[in-house]
Amino acid sequence: MTGLETNFSGVDWVIVGCYLLGTVAVGLYVNRFISNMADYVVAGRAVRTWLAVASMTGSELGLVTVMFAAQKGFTGGFSAFHIAVVAGVVPLLVGFTGFIVVPLRRLGVMTIPQYYGLRFGQGIRVYGGILLAVAGILNMGMFLKAGAIFVTALTGLNDPMQVNLVMTALIILVLIYTTMGGMVSVIITDYLQFVVLSFGLLLACGLAVSELGWDNLVSTVEQIHGESGFNPTHEDGFGISYMAWMLLTAGLVSSTIWQTAVMRASSAESEEVVRNLYKWSSVGFLIRFLLPQFLGICALAYFMDIPEARSELLTPDGSIVGSSELTMSAFPHFLGQILPVGIIGIVGAGMLAAFMSTHDSYLLCWASVIVEDVIVPLRGGEMSTRSRLLLARLLIVLIGVFLLIWSLWYPLGQDLLDYMMISGAIYFTGALALLVLGIYWKRASRVGAYLALTAGGLAVFGLTPVQKAVGLEKIEAAHIGLCAAGAALVLMVVGSLLFPDKETTKQGEDDD
């Protein structure tokens, strides 16, 4: 936003620099503990409850999460809190029931496509692995841009060219320490990052309420959003279909079907640790949405009293019209205004630590999926440990380069959360059918699995540039995502009934 100065100073740059250098040093140090792919991908499956909880929360509470949650609070008001509620309640239920994650841990799989191979055969494993990697990498596509917007807005580096330079510097830092340390470095540094980021968010909330006052927050949301700012079911707000989409995505998928969360379950020491991990992490899943959403509301109230900012963000009649990049930058601009020198450096370091935490988990995840679930099966399983580790590290670098190019090229055109959910749906709408029916319905077949995975590709029509290209702008992305999920479940059932696996048919005859 034009005309805004930040409190970020030289002292804060020193704080941020020292923290980032320390984090990279840890990644380089723990490289000595990596001896095989299990160590590299799931930390040897030796992670206990409290470290697992901190790691899960630290990874999922990334900078990109903070940015898209704050943006939803800014554009949706208090009604955005429904996303936080479902994000917390669903993992709690998973912890008590063990739904999906306990059977996966019992099987000892490192990746979800590995389960596909055990249940449906290696062809499904390869096909599912390709879809998972493609969707996951696209899902990461805006991470770098979100991180760069945060850094430049917080520090006052508002030149577009500086955004590009910051993206390049950030991805280089992440690549160095992820390629060297694997999941061991992720687990170790996630704990510290979880503590620093939690402190930063809580402090920012306290200062924001002290600066603005609760009554001002409520009145601003009422003025800008009206009833839809408090009632998520309102037709002018999120609506019932969007809430159902969030129940599926922010609730069920992000905790049980998204590969990075499943990797934490796979890293757990036992099934009991998996259950406890989800029970306690439910608090983190709730907070990772709730606190940033609240700070987004605070940013809205703060900038509505600044004429220059108000004119950039609102139409004359008072509705929000700023671009996705502009509304995303409101949160870090707000932090740069209210946090004092020194404190802003600590918060900035925590946010950047969270950025690195999320990137290392995701880069490691997608590279491991490509190696273990696509390349190795296609080679008949014949590949040495050394070759697998080398290839995984090479893929991490190549994915990082792609992410930088994608962040520079892709026109976002929608809220960051909506982009992430719909790009991820290319994978998880089909995966939902395969995991739920594959685990809990013995008649699920290979043909049904192929059809379900293919149906998930319909979700691509929820991306704004694709919608514009094919004339579907009037259809909400949430509707497209729900339709893709429904189509995958239906095709899984129909395909399994019409084309049962021979083993399943024989088993049914024996039971008779």
Side-chain angles (χ1 to χ4, degrees), residues 409-493:
W409 173 81
Y410 183 81
L412 186 54
Q414 60 195 132
D415 280 1
L416 180 59
L417 175 60
D418 298 329
Y419 166 84
M420 291 180 60
M421 293 305 183
I422 206 67
S423 59
I426 298 170
Y427 147 75
F428 69 67
T429 47
L432 174 67
L434 268 66
L435 288 172
V436 174
L437 296 178
I439 292 173
Y440 300 105
W441 188 43
K442 67 179 181 180
R443 298 188 65 180
S445 76
R446 188 175 295 110
V447 171
Y450 273 117
L451 292 174
L453 288 174
T454 303
L458 295 172
V460 73
F461 292 103
L463 295 174
T464 298
V466 178
Q467 286 185 303
K468 290 180 178 179
V470 298
L472 296 176
E473 299 98 319
K474 295 182 179 180
I475 301 179
E476 294 182 14
H479 292 161
I480 293 175
L482 290 171
C483 288
L489 287 168
V490 170
L491 288 173
M492 181 72 174
V493 172

Side-chain angles (χ1 to χ4, degrees), residues 398-413:
L398 293 176
I399 293 170
V401 173
F402 170 81
L403 293 176
L404 180 59
I405 295 171
W406 185 261
S407 295
L408 293 171
W409 173 81
Y410 183 81
L412 186 54

Side-chain angles (χ1 to χ4, degrees), residues 300-350:
L300 178 67
Y302 182 84
F303 289 121
M304 290 309 99
D305 290 331
I306 300 177
E308 295 82 359
R310 185 183 179 94
S311 64
E312 286 187 63
L313 293 165
L314 301 183
T315 61
D317 65 356
S319 48
I320 296 177
V321 294
S323 67
S324 180
E325 286 83 0
L326 184 60
T327 55
M328 202 191 311
S329 72
F331 163 68
H333 273 300
F334 172 65
L335 293 183
Q337 298 291 304
I338 68 164
L339 295 180
V341 173
I343 297 298
I344 195 173
I346 296 174
V347 173

